[in-house]
Amino acid sequence: MSELAYKRTNVYEQADEKTLKAIFDYAKGYSSFVDEGKTEREACAYALKVAEGKGYKPFEFGQKLSAGDKVYYNNRGKNLYLIKMGTADVAKEGVRIIVAHIDSPRLDLKQVPLYEEDGIALAKTHYYGGIRKYQWATIPLALHGSVVKRNGEVIDVVVGEEETDPVFYISDLLPHLAAKQNAKPHGEAMGGEDLNIWLGNIPYKAATEDKDNTVKENLLRILHEKYGLEEADFLSAELSLVPAMKARDVGFDRGLIAAYGQDDRVCAYPAYTALLDETDDRRTVMVVLADKEEIGSEGATGMQCALFGDLLAEIASSVGVSSAALRAKSRCLSADVNAAFDPNFKDVCDPLNSTYLSCGAGLTKFTGARGKSGSNDASAEFVGEIRKIFDENGVVWQTGELGKVDVGGGGTVAKYIANLNIDTIDIGVPVASMHSPYEVTSKADLYETYLAFRAFIR
Ligand code: MN
Ligand code: MN
C-alpha cells in the first residue's frame, strides 16, 4: 500500500530496546498502583501521597493561585484534583485538563448485609456499575472499605489481599446439577440477589439465646474482636467486594497485563504521573481523578458535581478573568478506556473502527449508543488539534468506536465537561474483557497513553 493509505502502527513492532525497557518499567509502577488502589478511596490516597511527595499542597477556597503553585483538592477522599499553575498566560491559553475515573465495577455490601442460612454465614450485596454477574462467582474476593462507627470513628478494612488472609466467595452450581440454569439466557444465569458472599461456616459453641444463628453469631464475635464492630455499624459503612487477584503479566512475551479495575485506573495512572513527571512549567494543568463514573458521574464526587466548575472558577479569579472566558479557552482529555478488538468476539466490532491491543493510545471522537446518543462528539477541528500534538511528539495512537453501530454503546465523563464549553475528547487505553473481574490491557498502550498525556500538557 502507498504512503497515502492509513495504517495502524503496532508499538512493539517499531519500539527499540530503550523504548521497550521504558514500556516495561512504566508498567511496574502501574501494577503497584492498581494493586494498592482497588477502590476509589485507595486510589485517591495513593495518588495523593505521590503528589504530596512532589510538593503539592492542599487548596483552600478563596486562596489566590499564582504561577508555580502546585495544589490539590481532596474531595471526600474519593475524588482528587491536582492543579499546577503555569507561567504562561492562563487567561489566553486556558487550562489543560485530563480527567480519568478511579471507581470500578464491584459488589457493595448492602446496609443490612449479614444473615445465616443452612449453616453458612453470608452477606447480601448490591452491585455497583455494569457487571456480568456470573463472572463474579467462584473467584477469590477481597473486602475493602470503611466503616463509620456510632462514635464517628472510621475503621478502614482490607481483608483478602495478603497471602495469609482469608478470601470471600460466591458459589455457583456444579455442572452435574446445572441443567436448568444452563437453559436460561446467559444474562439471567445469576441475578443480583444471587450474589451473596460466603463469610463463615464455624458455629459459636457457647450457649446463646438464638440457637439458629450460631455461625452468624460467631462471625459477629470475630468482627467485634478484630475490628470492634457491631452489626449496626454496617448501616454506616461502605464495604466492597473486589477481586483478590493481583496484577500479572499475560503471555510468554509479557506484553499484556491482567488486573482488576483497569477501567479506568489504566488511564488514571498515566494522567497523574504525566502531570507529576512534567518539568516544563509553562502550562496550567488540572488532573482529575473522578469517582462515580460507572454509575453516571452523579453525586458529590462525580464529574457532574459543581466542584469541577468551582475549582476552574477559582483559577479564573486568581488570574483575573471570568470563569466563562477561562473555560472557553480550556481543553480536556476525557481519559477513559475503550474496548480492545478481541479475536474471540470479532462479531461485535467493526474491524476498521476498533482499537487494537498494542497499537497505541485510543482516541474516540464520539461514544454513545445508536445514533451517537449521549455522546459529546468532538469536533473535527479539535481532533485535528490533538492529532497534530500527538504526531509532532511521536505518540503512537489509533482511533476506534465502542463496538459496531447498534450492537451496544457506552458513555464517559466527556459530555459533562463539554457541556461547560470546554473542547473535550475521549482518549485511553484499549481494554479486553472490560468490566470483568480481571481485565487485560497492553503495556505498550499504557505507555503511549502516558506519552500522549505528556504531550498534551506540555
Ligand atoms: Mn471507564
Ligand atoms: Mn467502565
Side-chain angles (χ1 to χ4, degrees):
M1 249 189 309
S2 82
E3 68 278 6
L4 291 176
Y6 168 71
K7 193 173 152 282
R8 275 184 187 74
T9 311
N10 182 291
V11 180
Y12 287 127
E13 208 171 277
Q14 52 117 58
D16 55 18
E17 280 304 313
K18 202 175 139 235
T19 310
L20 264 182
K21 189 179 179 306
I23 290 170
F24 278 75
D25 285 348
Y26 187 73
K28 282 181 201 152
Y30 168 65
S31 292
S32 41
F33 173 64
V34 281
D35 285 347
E36 304 279 320
K38 288 190 174 181
T39 65
E40 62 276 5
R41 284 178 195 270
E42 293 165 357
C44 181
Y46 189 102
L48 180 57
K49 203 171 152 203
V50 183
E52 281 181 327
K54 296 265 185 173
Y56 279 71
K57 301 268 186 281
F59 172 79
E60 301 285 345
F61 273 99
Q63 178 184 339
K64 192 175 155 41
L65 294 167
S66 45
D69 283 351
K70 297 190 284 184
V71 296
Y72 66 80
Y73 191 90
N74 177 359
N75 181 15
R76 298 165 167 89
K78 297 176 171 195
N79 164 215
L80 184 66
Y81 286 79
L82 300 172
I83 299 167
K84 187 170 90 169
M85 296 297 292
T87 53
D89 188 352
V90 192
K92 226 185 249 168
E93 294 204 0
V95 183
R96 294 275 163 140
I97 305 162
I98 306 176
V99 184
H101 67 92
I102 48 176
D103 61 316
S104 297
R106 59 177 189 243
L107 306 176
D108 288 341
L109 284 196
K110 291 190 185 187
Q111 297 325 118
V112 183
L114 305 181
Y115 68 104
E116 175 178 336
E117 213 164 277
D118 307 316
I120 295 172
L122 297 112
K124 299 295 295 179
T125 65
H126 196 136
Y127 62 96
Y128 172 96
I131 62 164
R132 307 189 70 197
K133 299 177 193 92
Y134 72 89
Q135 293 179 336
W136 294 71
T138 69
I139 61 166
L141 297 167
L143 184 68
H144 289 235
S146 303
V147 185
V148 181
K149 289 168 68 176
R150 200 189 302 274
N151 63 6
E153 188 193 345
V154 181
I155 311 277
D156 292 322
V157 179
V158 179
V159 184
E161 295 294 342
E162 300 297 329
E163 285 296 318
T164 50
D165 280 354
V167 293
F168 306 98
Y169 188 79
I170 297 170
S171 64
D172 197 3
L173 270 173
L174 57 169
H176 317 65
L177 301 178
K180 206 167 134 197
Q181 191 198 46
N182 285 343
K184 285 185 183 176
H186 204 54
E188 291 168 20
M190 286 194 97
E193 295 291 350
D194 298 328
L195 299 173
N196 303 317
I197 309 293
W198 289 28
L199 295 178
N201 183 227
I202 298 181
Y204 183 66
K205 286 201 190 71
T208 56
E209 283 160 32
D210 188 354
K211 297 280 179 238
D212 294 329
N213 283 299
T214 52
V215 180
K216 181 184 161 189
E217 178 63 26
N218 195 42
L219 172 69
L220 287 174
R221 281 166 194 269
I222 293 168
L223 290 174
H224 190 257
E225 193 180 301
K226 286 211 153 164
Y227 302 100
L229 297 180
E230 48 186 275
E231 192 172 9
D233 290 330
F234 285 92
L235 296 171
S236 49
E238 283 182 334
L239 291 166
S240 306
L241 275 307
V242 297
M245 296 91 83
K246 304 275 194 230
R248 300 286 292 266
D249 291 349
V250 175
F252 282 112
D253 58 20
R254 296 177 174 262
L256 305 174
I257 187 162
Y260 161 68
Q262 300 206 67
D263 173 10
D264 184 33
R265 290 175 193 114
V266 75
C267 296
Y269 184 74
Y272 82 77
T273 55
L275 173 61
L276 299 180
D277 292 349
E278 185 54 64
T279 49
D280 185 291
D281 53 9
R282 225 177 55 78
R283 285 214 189 270
T284 293
V285 181
M286 175 190 268
V287 168
V288 189
L289 305 184
D291 181 29
K292 297 284 181 281
E293 192 279 339
E294 295 295 356
I295 58 168
S297 298
E298 314 281 352
T301 51
M303 283 313 288
Q304 293 200 67
C305 174
L307 176 62
F308 174 57
D310 290 345
L311 287 169
L312 286 172
E314 292 288 305
I315 296 174
S317 83
S318 290
V319 299
V321 287
S322 72
S323 181
L326 182 79
R327 284 188 276 110
K329 298 278 183 195
S330 296
R331 300 275 185 274
C332 177
L333 297 184
S334 162
D336 209 342
V337 299
N338 199 338
F341 191 87
D342 181 341
N344 270 343
F345 301 99
K346 284 178 202 285
D347 57 321
V348 296
C349 288
D350 166 12
L352 282 177
N353 290 283
S354 294
T355 51
Y356 288 77
L357 289 167
S358 302
C359 288
L363 199 74
T364 305
K365 184 176 180 294
F366 51 84
T367 58
R370 302 174 303 279
K372 306 191 182 182
S373 177
S375 163
N376 71 309
D377 202 1
S379 71
E381 287 82 353
F382 188 48
V383 179
E385 195 180 314
I386 295 297
R387 175 185 170 196
K388 188 161 175 284
I389 293 173
F390 291 171
D391 288 348
E392 282 174 0
N393 288 278
V395 175
V396 181
W397 65 281
Q398 55 183 325
T399 188
E401 295 185 28
L402 183 67
K404 271 182 182 163
V405 181
D406 288 339
V407 167
T412 64
V413 301
K415 62 177 173 180
Y416 305 116
I417 296 159
N419 287 349
L420 296 173
N421 191 28
I422 299 172
D423 269 314
T424 304
I425 189 164
D426 283 295
I427 177 173
V429 177
V431 175
S433 307
M434 194 197 293
H435 284 206
S436 77
Y438 213 43
E439 303 168 317
V440 171
T441 60
S442 157
K443 293 178 184 179
D445 299 334
L446 167 68
Y447 186 66
E448 291 299 331
T449 301
Y450 166 73
L451 295 184
F453 295 167
R454 290 290 301 261
F456 175 71
I457 64 174
R458 202 167 299 140

